[in-house]
């Protein structure tokens, strides 16, 4: 007796029940995608909306999948912001694709936990191979390939990627100095760097006053200036501090600024620092030969990261990290308890990815990246990127034609930073005006955009990258923006 009523109850793993239920789920998801444009892109619910719609405790007896689907329709979908909507233009994209789904599905189906090679040799070996493929596609230096001292690993997010390399760099410098030197070591990045670096410093115990976020300017398109970096390093060295980590960004979160990797990397090297490159969003564009120039200088980097889950058709989560010296990672993150010992690991014959990341357990994420690369192929992936950049160019052109607006920073990839200009007699009002426009736009549910602040100015961000977005969506979005702007300006 296993406690299940064979006629009606859902067993944990029965192949035929799985087939029936999973088919229904696939139909549900396919229908969702067919009708995705009907939903308000940004969820319009109020905080706490779900509490009163669901029971206080879990059911004692099984419920049917149909009842659950009804609840998903009536109660869950209203609280969903539709990241895959073609009218989603906020933050940066987070791509889904059929290939990505299939890989996720297979990964869920096999449900392995691949912390050591022995726990599923294919999981480790496929990850190494697929990250070598992607490294070659990005023309990363050979030292990042798994054949030598380096290699790639899939982290959950760019935040985890920067944290693990920061830990490796910290321990490397502390081995050189002394364990007590933690208060002396200094991290550098620009003030445009993603807050993930600051969080990594907090977790790694870097003293907050030793985390330098160097000022960037409009005049250099918000890229980190090598001169300013040199000055900061010289000042710190003069007062007895030890520079040990530099993070540069290719495609900053606010405005897609590109830091000059070659010059920054040389400074890092001459000061014995670890040089990390965060290309979480823009890295995907560098698979196209015409955009590869933006990571020129990556040869100087110790580690490089791009999020395949942003703009590379690979469902969340899949953040690709490459390092030149995997020993540094392993020295910081390895543990070797008796219960995990096995012949292959003890003989040092294999990679055990548990030693390259924070958690022990890990999913078989390389399957989805492998599916994406195989089911689409490089040429289609390049076209996909180019198409979004062309759509962004189209949007930029529309903004430039309307004298009530300005494009604020030069567009490089698929993000356009722009703002509504305040009328002459009302110039102090620009932040409120643009914030009001953002709120008005997003509350229509027709499109979803986000904002940032650059040099004290409130800026609207229009990021193209959802897999279903076409030119007609971009043109319609611009019309929504223009109409709401007319209403707001008419009220002033
Ligand atoms: N770095 C950059 C440049 C980003 O744009 C982002 C997110 O948008 C991140 C890091 C953080 O990404 P994740 O959510 O993968 O940690």
């Amino acid at each position: 007796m296993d406690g299940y009523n064979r006629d009606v109850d859902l067993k944990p793993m029965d192949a035929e029940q799985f087939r029936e239920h999973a088919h229904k789920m696939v139909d549900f998801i396919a229908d969702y995608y067919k009708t995705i444009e009907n939903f308000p892109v940004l969820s319009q619910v109020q905080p706490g909306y779900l509490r009163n719609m669901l029971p206080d405790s879990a059911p004692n007896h099984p419920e049917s999948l149909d009842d659950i689907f009804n609840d998903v329709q009536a109660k869950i979908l209203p609280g969903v912001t539709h990241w895959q909507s073609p009218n989603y233009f906020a933050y940066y994209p987070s791509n889904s694709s059929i290939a990505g789904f299939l890989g996720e599905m297979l990964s869920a189906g096999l449900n392995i936990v691949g912390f050591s090679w022995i726990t599923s040799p294919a999981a480790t070996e496929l990850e190494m191979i697929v990250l070598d493929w992607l490294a070659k596609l990005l023309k990363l230096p050979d030292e990042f390939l798994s054949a030598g001292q380096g290699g790639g690993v899939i982290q959950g997010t760019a935040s985890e990627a920067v944290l693990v390399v920061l830990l490796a760099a910290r321990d490397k410098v502390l081995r050189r100095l002394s364990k007590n030197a933690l208060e002396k070591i200094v991290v550098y990045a620009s003030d445009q760097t993603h807050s993930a670096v600051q969080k990594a410093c907090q977790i790694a115990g870097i003293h907050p006053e030793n985390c330098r976020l160097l000022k960037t300017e409009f005049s250099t398109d918000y890229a980190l200036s090598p001169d300013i970096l040199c000055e900061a390093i010289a000042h710190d060295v003069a007062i007895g501090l030890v520079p040990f980590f530099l993070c540069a960004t290719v495609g900053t979160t606010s405005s897609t600024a590109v830091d000059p990797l070659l010059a920054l990397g040389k400074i890092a090297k001459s000061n014995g620092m670890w040089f990390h490159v965060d290309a979480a969003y823009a890295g995907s564009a560098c698979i196209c030969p015409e955009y590869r120039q933006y990571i020129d200088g990556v040869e100087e980097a110790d580690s490089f990261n791009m999020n395949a889950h942003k703009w590379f058709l690979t469902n969340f989560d899949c953040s690709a990290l490459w390092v030149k010296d995997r020993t540094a990672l392993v020295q910081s993150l390895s543990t070797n308890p008796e219960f995990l010992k096995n012949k292959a690991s003890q003989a040092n014959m294999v990679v055990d990815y548990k030693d390259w990341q924070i958690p022990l357990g890990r999913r078989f994420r390389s399957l989805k990246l492998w599916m994406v690369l195989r089911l689409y192929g490089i040429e289609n992936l390049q076209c996909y990127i180019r198409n979004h950049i062309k759509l962004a160019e189209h949007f930029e052109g529309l903004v430039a034609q309307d004298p009530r607006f300005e494009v604020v920073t030069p567009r490089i990839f698929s993000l356009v930073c722009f703002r509504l200009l305040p009328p002459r007699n009302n110039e102090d009002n620009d932040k409120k005006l643009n914030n009001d426009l953002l709120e008005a736009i997003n509350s229509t549910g027709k499109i979803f955009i986000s904002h940032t602040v650059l040099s004290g100015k409130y800026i609207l961000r229009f990021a193209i990258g959802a897999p279903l977005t076409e030119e007609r969506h971009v043109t319609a979005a611009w019309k929504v923006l223009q109409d709401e702007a007319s209403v707001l300006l008419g009220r002033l």
Side-chain angles (χ1 to χ4, degrees), residues 130-141 144-145 322:
V130 170
L131 287 194
D132 280 351
W133 284 8
L134 192 50
K136 287 179 191 164
L137 187 49
L138 288 163
K139 300 198 170 19
L140 295 185
F144 284 121
L145 300 179
W322 291 269

Side-chain angles (χ1 to χ4, degrees), residues 92 156-160 194 196 249 251-253 278 280-281 307 309-310:
Y92 279 135
T157 61
S159 306
E160 289 160 72
H194 193 276
T249 307
T252 57
T253 314
D278 173 1
Y281 153 74
N307 277 353
H309 63 238
K310 274 190 161 55

Side-chain angles (χ1 to χ4, degrees), residues 117-372:
W117 177 86
I118 192 179
T119 62
S120 259
T124 299
E125 297 198 10
L126 185 66
E127 188 160 327
M128 294 169 73
I129 291 167
V130 170
L131 287 194
D132 280 351
W133 284 8
L134 192 50
K136 287 179 191 164
L137 187 49
L138 288 163
K139 300 198 170 19
L140 295 185
D142 286 351
E143 293 116 297
F144 284 121
L145 300 179
S146 61
Q149 303 303 308
V153 56
I154 299 178
Q155 303 282 335
T157 61
S159 306
E160 289 160 72
V162 73
L163 174 59
V164 296
V165 295
L166 184 77
L167 293 173
R170 178 199 67 182
D171 294 349
K172 198 171 165 183
V173 72
L174 292 184
R175 278 194 294 275
R176 179 157 58 85
L177 303 171
S178 97
K179 275 189 193 141
N180 303 326
L182 190 60
E183 66 196 24
K184 288 193 169 173
I185 62 175
V186 188
V187 171
Y188 302 81
S190 89
D191 59 1
Q192 298 299 310
T193 306
H194 193 276
S195 54
V197 171
Q198 201 184 331
K199 188 183 263 194
C201 288
Q202 285 166 215
I203 297 171
I206 307 302
H207 286 219
E209 63 276 16
N210 289 354
C211 190
R212 307 258 173 282
L213 297 181
L214 303 170
K215 195 164 177 343
T216 57
E217 306 280 350
F218 174 76
S219 60
T220 52
D221 296 334
Y222 300 100
L224 177 56
S225 145
D227 291 344
I228 289 180
L229 175 66
C230 281
E231 264 171 46
I233 290 176
H235 174 264
D236 287 334
V237 170
I239 58 172
L241 297 178
V242 182
F244 86 102
F245 189 85
L246 169 65
C247 176
T249 307
V250 175
T252 57
T253 314
S254 276
S255 67
T256 68
V258 175
D259 290 336
L261 299 191
L262 190 60
L264 296 176
K266 286 198 185 304
I267 297 166
K269 201 172 248 176
S270 64
N271 286 279
M273 299 160 72
W274 185 292
F275 182 37
H276 177 66
V277 176
D278 173 1
Y281 153 74
S284 299
C286 301
I287 65 161
C288 300
E290 67 273 32
Y291 296 108
R292 170 60 177 76
Q293 54 173 308
Y294 292 108
I295 55 168
D296 281 356
V298 67
E299 299 71 31
E300 305 295 328
D302 295 285
S303 47
F304 178 83
N305 172 231
M306 67 83 95
N307 277 353
H309 63 238
K310 274 190 161 55
W311 197 16
F312 203 71
L313 288 172
T314 310
N315 293 37
F316 189 81
D317 52 347
C318 188
S319 184
L321 170 70
W322 291 269
V323 292
K324 278 185 183 164
D325 173 16
R326 60 188 187 227
T327 313
L329 267 191
V330 172
Q331 279 181 316
S332 282
L333 300 171
S334 158
T335 53
N336 194 18
E338 186 57 38
F339 50 81
L340 296 182
K341 284 185 181 157
N342 65 84
K343 242 195 254 166
S345 300
Q346 297 307 103
N348 247 339
M349 290 158 63
V350 292
V351 161
D352 287 331
Y353 275 130
K354 72 179 175 57
D355 298 336
W356 298 44
Q357 63 173 24
I358 307 291
L360 175 71
R362 61 198 324 270
R363 303 195 302 125
F364 199 164
R365 285 182 291 219
S366 55
L367 282 172
K368 59 187 166 185
L369 190 51
W370 189 49
M371 292 266 182
V372 165

